[in-house]
C-alpha cells in the first residue's frame, strides 16, 4: 500500500487513456440529449440516449474484462465509467441517479438552484447494461448505415523522445511506488483520485504477440505434416482413380465376355437342338432311304449279272466287224485321197496330234473327191432338235454297212461344231451343199470361202464366193422377201443357236422368241432363216403350218429353191481345203 497523499506522475499510456475518456465525455456533451427527470423533484429521469450509450460501454468493458488473464472484475474499469458519468451529470442533470450494469454508478442531488452538487456511487441489483455512447439512429427509408469500416493499424515502433530524467524524491514520507503489472488489464492515472484508466489493446497486444510466436512455431511444425498429408491424399486419390478406371475397364470386359458367352451359349443350344433333331429324326429317315437304295442297287447288280451271263453266252463264237476301218488315214479327207484312199467310205482322221483321231465319212468321187461330210440328212432317223453341248461334240451315225463288207453308205449325223471349227481354221476351206427333192431333182450351192469361229465367239459363220444352182441363201437371204424382211434371213455373220442357247437376232434374251425353238434344230439363225438344213424332217415334201409344231416353216428348207413349205428329201454339207484347179 502506498502512503496517502503521495502522487505519481502519469505515464504516457495513462495520459492516452485519459484523453480517450475526455473525448468520450465531450462526445456525450455534443449529443445534446436531455435526460428525462424522475417523477420526484429530487430524482430526475436519465436520458435514454445516455442510458443506451452507458449500457454499450459497460458491455464492451465486460468483453475486455473477459479477455484478460484472470477474467475478474477490475475496479479501474468501473472507475473510468464513473469519472465520465460524474463529469457529464454534474454539468447537465444535477440530482440524477444512473444505474449501469445493475449498479447505481452515480447519484447527483441538489436542493436548490444554487445548492451544492455531489456524486455518490453505489452498487445495486443486476439490471440490463446501458449503452452510453453517442450514436445517431438511422431514419428508416432515408439513410443507410455501414456497420464496419477499415481501420488503419496504429503506429508502432520507438518514440521520438528519450525517457525524462528521474526527479529527486521530495522530502517527507515516501509513498511506495505502484508496480505496474502488464497482465493486470489496465493502466493507472497520475492521480489516485482519478482511478484507473480505461483499458486499451496494449496489454492484449503483448499477450497476443507472445501467443503468436507459439502459434507460428506450431504452424511451422504442422506445415510439413500438412504437405505430407496433401501428397499422401493426392497419391491415394490417384490410386483410387486408377483403381476406378481399372474397375470400369474390367467391368466392360466382363460385360463383353458375358455377351460373348451368351451368344455362344445360344449358338450351342441351337446346334444341340439341331443335332438332337438330326439324330432323332433325320438319321433314321436317311437310314431307311439308304436301305431302300441298297436294295435297288442289289437288284441292279443281279440284272447286270444276268446281262453279263447273256453276253458271255453270245460271245462264245468270234465276233465279226461290220464296218472295218481302212488302214490309210490322214489329217482330213483330201490328205487321205492323196495318200491313196480313193474309195468313198468311213475313215479315221487326226487333224491335230494333240487331239485323238475320230471317224468321218469321206466322199472321194464328187468333183474329184477329198470332201469331208460334216452334215447329212436322208431319212429322218436322227432327231436334230438337240441341245448346245450335243451340237458342240457331234451326234448321229457316220456310216453303216449295206452288205458289202465295208461302211460305204453315210448315215444321218452332225460332225460337231468343235471339229468343224478346227478343220476350217487349218486353212482356206470351201463347202459344198447338195440337196434332192422328193421327185429326184438335185441342186447344189458351193462357197469357196467357209470358216467357223471357235466356241468363245459362239461359232460365228463366215462365208463367201457363191456358185451353184440352189440359190445364194447364205449371203442374199430369201429372194421371196424384200427389204428388211429379206435382210433378216441372211445367215452370213450369224452365231450358232440352239433351243437352250439363244444367240439369234430375234429379241435376244426373250424365251418366247427363239428361232431354234420354233424351227426345230440348231443353226446360224438370223431372224430367222432362208435355209434350215437341220429342221424337222417331213415325209413327202410339202407340209403346212398346221402340221408344224409352232406353226412356222420348221422343215428341211432351202427357200430359194423350193420355198418355205417344202421339206427336202436329202441334204448334205461337205468341206475340203480350197486349192486352185490345175
Amino acid at each position: 500500500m502506498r502512503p496517502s497523499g503521495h502522487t505519481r506522475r502519469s505515464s504516457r499510456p495513462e495520459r492516452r487513456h485519459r484523453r480517450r475518456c475526455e473525448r468520450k465525455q465531450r462526445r456525450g456533451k455534443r449529443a445534446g440529449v436531455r435526460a428525462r427527470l424522475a417523477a420526484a423533484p429530487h430524482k430526475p429521469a436519465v436520458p435514454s440516449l445516455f442510458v443506451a450509450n452507458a449500457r454499450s460501454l459497460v458491455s464492451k468493458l465486460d468483453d475486455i474484462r473477459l479477455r484478460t488473464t484472470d477474467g475478474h472484475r477490475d475496479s479501474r474499469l468501473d472507475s473510468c465509467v464513473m469519472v465520465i458519468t460524474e463529469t457529464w451529470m454534474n454539468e447537465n442533470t444535477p440530482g440524477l441517479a444512473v444505474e449501469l450494469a445493475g449498479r447505481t454508478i452515480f447519484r447527483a442531488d441538489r436542493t436548490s438552484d444554487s445548492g451544492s452538487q455531489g456524486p455518490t456511487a453505489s452498487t445495486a441489483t443486476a439490471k440490463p447494461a446501458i449503452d452510453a455512447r453517442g450514436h445517431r439512429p438511422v431514419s428508416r427509408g432515408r439513410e443507410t448505415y455501414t456497420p464496419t469500416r477499415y481501420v488503419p493499424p496504429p503506429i508502432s515502433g520507438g518514440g521520438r523522445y528519450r525517457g525524462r530524467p528521474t526527479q529527486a524524491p521530495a522530502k517527507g514520507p515516501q509513498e511506495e511506488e505502484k508496480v505496474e503489472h502488464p497482465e493486470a488489464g489496465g493502466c493507472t492515472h497520475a492521480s489516485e483520485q482519478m482511478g484507473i484508466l480505461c483499458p486499451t489493446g496494449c496489454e492484449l497486444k503483448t499477450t497476443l504477440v507472445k501467443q503468436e510466436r507459439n502459434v507460428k512455431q506450431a504452424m511451422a511444425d504442422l506445415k510439413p505434416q500438412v504437405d505430407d498429408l496433401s501428397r499422401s491424399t493426392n497419391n491415394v486419390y490417384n490410386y483410387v482413380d486408377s483403381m476406378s478406371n481399372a474397375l470400369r475397364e474390367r467391368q466392360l470386359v466382363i460385360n463383353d465376355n458375358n455377351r460373348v458367352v451368351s451368344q455362344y451359349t445360344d449358338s450351342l443350344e441351337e446346334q444341340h437342338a439341331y443335332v438332337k433333331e438330326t439324330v432323332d429324326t433325320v438319321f433314321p429317315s436317311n437310314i431307311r432311304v439308304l436301305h431302300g437304295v441298297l436294295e435297288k442297287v442289289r437288284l441292279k447288280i443281279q440284272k447286270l449279272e444276268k446281262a453279263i451271263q447273256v453276253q458271255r453266252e453270245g460271245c462264245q463264237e468270234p465276233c465279226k466287224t461290220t464296218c472295218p476301218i481302212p488302214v490309210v488315214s490322214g489329217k482330213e479327207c483330201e490328205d487321205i485321197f492323196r495318200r491313196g484312199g480313193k474309195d468313198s467310205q468311213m475313215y479315221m482322221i487326226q487333224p491335230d496330234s494333240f487331239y485323238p483321231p475320230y471317224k468321218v465319212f469321206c466322199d472321194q468321187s464328187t468333183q474329184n473327191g477329198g470332201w469331208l461330210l460334216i452334215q447329212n440328212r436322208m431319212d429322218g432317223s436322227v432327231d436334230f432338235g438337240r441341245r448346245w453341248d450335243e451340237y458342240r461334240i457331234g451326234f448321229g451315225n457316220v456310216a453303216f454297212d449295206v452288205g458289202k463288207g465295208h461302211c460305204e453308205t453315210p448315215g444321218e449325223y452332225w460332225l460337231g461344231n468343235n471339229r468343224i471349227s478346227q478343220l476350217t481354221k487349218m486353212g482356206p476351206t470351201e463347202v459344198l451343199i447338195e440337196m434332192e427333192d422328193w421327185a429326184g431333182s438335185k441342186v447344189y450351192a458351193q462357197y469357196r470361202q467357209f470358216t467357223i469361229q471357235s466356241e468363245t465367239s459362239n461359232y460365228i459363220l463366215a462365208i463367201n464366193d457363191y456358185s451353184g444352182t440352189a440359190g445364194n441363201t447364205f449371203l442374199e437371204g430369201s429372194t421371196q422377201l424384200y427389204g428388211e424382211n429379206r435382210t433378216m434371213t441372211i445367215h452370213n455373220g450369224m452365231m450358232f443357236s440352239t433351243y437352250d442357247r439363244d444367240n439369234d437376232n430375234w429379241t435376244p434374251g426373250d424365251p418366247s422368241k427363239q428361232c431354234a425353238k420354233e424351227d426345230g434344230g440348231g443353226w446360224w439363225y438370223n431372224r430367222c432363216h432362208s435355209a434350215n438344213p437341220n429342221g424337222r424332217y417331213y415325209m413327202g415334201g410339202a407340209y403346212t403350218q398346221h402340221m408344224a409344231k409352232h406353226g412356222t416353216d420348221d422343215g428341211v428348207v432351202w427357200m430359194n429353191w423350193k420355198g418355205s413349205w417344202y421339206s427336202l428329201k436329202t441334204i448334205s454339207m461337205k468341206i475340203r481345203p480350197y486349192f486352185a484347179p490345175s
Side-chain angles (χ1 to χ4, degrees):
M1 296 296 293
R2 291 193 183 99
S4 59
H6 176 73
T7 60
R8 183 180 62 87
R9 186 169 181 172
S10 60
S11 61
R12 184 179 298 171
E14 293 174 351
R15 292 195 300 272
R16 189 182 299 117
H17 286 300
R18 185 168 60 253
R19 285 196 297 271
R20 288 182 181 176
C21 293
E22 291 174 356
R23 283 198 299 272
K24 290 184 179 181
Q25 177 182 353
R26 289 193 296 272
R27 193 161 47 244
K29 291 180 180 181
R30 287 195 301 270
V33 180
R34 285 182 287 179
R36 186 175 57 187
L37 298 178
H42 61 277
K43 190 177 181 181
V46 181
S48 60
L49 180 60
F50 175 79
V51 174
N53 290 335
R55 288 176 178 173
S56 177
L57 178 60
V58 173
S59 176
K60 295 298 182 181
L61 294 177
D62 289 339
D63 292 339
I64 295 174
R65 182 165 48 250
L66 291 175
R67 289 181 174 85
T68 59
T69 56
D70 54 0
H72 294 88
R73 180 179 297 276
D74 195 337
S75 59
R76 287 175 293 178
L77 300 176
D78 296 340
S79 175
C80 179
V81 177
M82 291 174 64
V83 171
I84 297 172
T85 306
E86 176 183 357
T87 304
W88 188 85
M89 295 298 289
N90 286 333
E91 295 179 0
N92 294 279
T93 55
L96 179 66
V98 178
E99 292 182 358
L100 186 61
R103 301 181 303 276
T104 301
I105 62 174
F106 180 77
R107 180 183 301 275
D109 297 330
R110 59 182 176 181
T111 57
S112 63
D113 297 338
S114 61
S116 63
Q117 301 173 357
T120 304
S122 61
T123 304
T125 59
K127 291 185 179 180
I130 299 175
D131 189 358
R133 291 173 295 179
H135 69 289
R136 300 295 186 270
V138 177
S139 299
R140 295 183 179 179
R142 293 182 296 175
E143 299 174 316
T144 58
Y145 170 68
T146 304
T148 58
R149 292 184 181 179
Y150 170 72
V151 179
I155 297 174
S156 60
R160 292 180 295 174
Y161 303 99
R162 295 181 179 179
R164 293 180 180 179
T166 306
Q167 296 180 357
K171 293 181 178 181
Q174 297 292 331
E175 184 179 350
E176 184 180 355
E177 186 177 359
K178 295 180 65 175
V179 180
E180 184 177 345
H181 300 282
E183 292 84 2
C187 306
T188 58
H189 280 285
S191 176
E192 285 292 338
Q193 288 77 10
M194 296 186 67
I196 301 173
L197 291 175
C198 295
T200 61
C202 56
E203 295 82 5
L204 296 177
K205 178 180 178 182
T206 303
T207 303
L208 292 175
V209 168
K210 293 180 179 180
Q211 295 178 358
E212 184 180 6
R213 298 192 191 99
N214 299 330
V215 171
K216 285 186 177 179
Q217 183 63 32
M219 290 178 63
D221 296 339
L222 289 174
K223 187 175 181 180
Q225 300 179 8
V226 172
D227 294 339
D228 295 339
L229 182 60
S230 178
R231 287 192 295 270
S232 301
T233 304
N234 292 334
N235 294 334
V236 170
Y237 176 80
N238 294 332
Y239 178 74
V240 172
D241 186 62
S242 62
M243 290 296 293
S244 300
N245 295 333
L247 181 60
R248 284 193 294 270
E249 295 177 357
R250 183 63 58 84
Q251 188 64 34
L252 292 176
V253 172
I254 292 173
N255 294 337
D256 294 340
N257 292 339
N258 291 336
R259 184 167 58 256
V260 172
V261 170
S262 178
Q263 293 176 356
Y264 277 108
T265 302
D266 296 339
S267 177
L268 184 61
E269 290 179 354
E270 293 178 359
Q271 295 178 3
H272 177 265
Y274 173 76
V275 170
K276 184 177 181 181
E277 181 181 1
T278 302
V279 171
D280 295 342
T281 60
V282 177
F283 282 0
S285 177
N286 291 341
I287 291 173
R288 289 193 295 270
V289 172
L290 291 176
H291 279 300
V293 172
L294 182 61
E295 187 64 26
K296 292 180 180 179
V297 170
R298 186 180 294 109
L299 294 176
K300 289 182 179 180
I301 292 174
Q302 292 176 358
K303 291 181 180 179
L304 289 175
E305 290 176 351
K306 292 180 180 179
I308 291 172
Q309 185 64 28
V310 171
Q311 292 294 331
R312 286 177 179 175
E313 293 176 356
C315 291
Q316 290 179 358
E317 297 179 359
C319 297
K320 296 180 181 179
T321 304
T322 57
C323 287
I325 299 175
V327 176
V328 61
S329 64
K331 292 183 177 181
E332 14 74 14
C333 292
E334 176 66 20
D335 188 23
I336 292 174
F337 184 84
R338 294 178 183 236
R339 291 185 179 189
K342 306 294 183 178
D343 298 329
S344 298
Q345 62 177 341
M346 184 175 67
Y347 291 91
M348 292 288 292
I349 65 172
Q350 189 177 13
D352 193 339
S353 59
F354 289 100
Y355 295 95
Y358 52 89
K359 299 175 182 178
V360 296
F361 187 88
C362 294
D363 182 0
Q364 307 291 34
S365 58
T366 303
Q367 293 185 11
N368 299 323
W371 295 100
L372 190 154
L373 192 65
I374 63 174
Q375 186 263 3
N376 189 44
R377 303 294 298 279
M378 55 182 292
D379 56 8
S381 59
V382 176
D383 181 16
F384 274 68
R386 303 291 182 110
R387 303 176 67 237
W388 177 272
D389 291 338
E390 294 178 283
Y391 270 99
R392 178 170 57 85
I393 62 178
F395 57 87
N397 300 318
V398 177
F400 57 91
D401 185 11
V402 291
K404 296 182 179 180
H406 58 274
C407 296
E408 60 180 7
T409 303
E412 287 198 341
Y413 80 99
W414 179 263
L415 181 62
N417 289 335
N418 279 347
R419 293 172 179 176
I420 297 173
S421 174
Q422 182 185 26
L423 290 169
T424 59
K425 289 194 296 182
M426 290 172 63
T429 304
E430 59 180 340
V431 61
L432 175 63
I433 305 171
E434 296 179 321
M435 59 199 79
E436 179 184 359
D437 63 6
W438 290 89
S441 301
K442 297 181 180 180
V443 293
Y444 74 96
Q446 187 172 354
Y447 296 89
R448 290 184 174 85
Q449 296 178 10
F450 177 74
T451 304
I452 303 299
Q453 300 298 328
S454 63
E455 185 179 11
T456 57
S457 60
N458 295 321
Y459 306 114
I460 293 177
L461 170 66
I463 197 167
N464 197 11
D465 198 2
Y466 165 78
S467 65
T469 58
N472 187 9
T473 57
F474 282 3
L475 295 175
E476 297 178 357
S478 175
T479 56
Q480 300 174 2
L481 302 174
Y482 300 93
E484 183 182 41
N485 293 333
R486 183 174 179 177
T487 305
M488 293 178 183
T489 61
I490 295 175
H491 296 283
N492 185 37
M494 296 298 105
M495 293 183 290
F496 200 85
S497 295
T498 59
Y499 71 86
D500 64 334
R501 183 76 66 88
D502 183 17
N503 295 318
D504 58 36
N505 286 343
W506 182 24
T507 314
D510 189 349
S512 64
K513 298 178 180 180
Q514 295 185 20
C515 296
K517 184 181 292 184
E518 292 190 355
D519 292 346
W523 190 247
W524 290 277
Y525 290 111
N526 191 339
R527 185 182 170 161
C528 283
H529 67 263
S530 58
N532 192 26
N534 293 338
R536 291 184 177 88
Y537 195 88
Y538 290 96
M539 302 296 290
Y543 69 101
T544 64
Q545 62 181 2
H546 300 289
M547 299 169 61
K549 183 176 181 180
H550 297 282
T552 59
D553 52 344
D554 58 354
V556 181
V557 172
W558 194 271
M559 292 180 64
N560 288 350
W561 182 37
K562 290 294 183 177
S564 299
W565 301 101
Y566 189 93
S567 183
L568 301 177
K569 180 180 180 181
T570 63
I571 187 170
S572 62
M573 297 178 64
K574 308 169 186 178
I575 61 173
R576 73 178 178 184
Y578 176 76
F579 53 89
S582 57

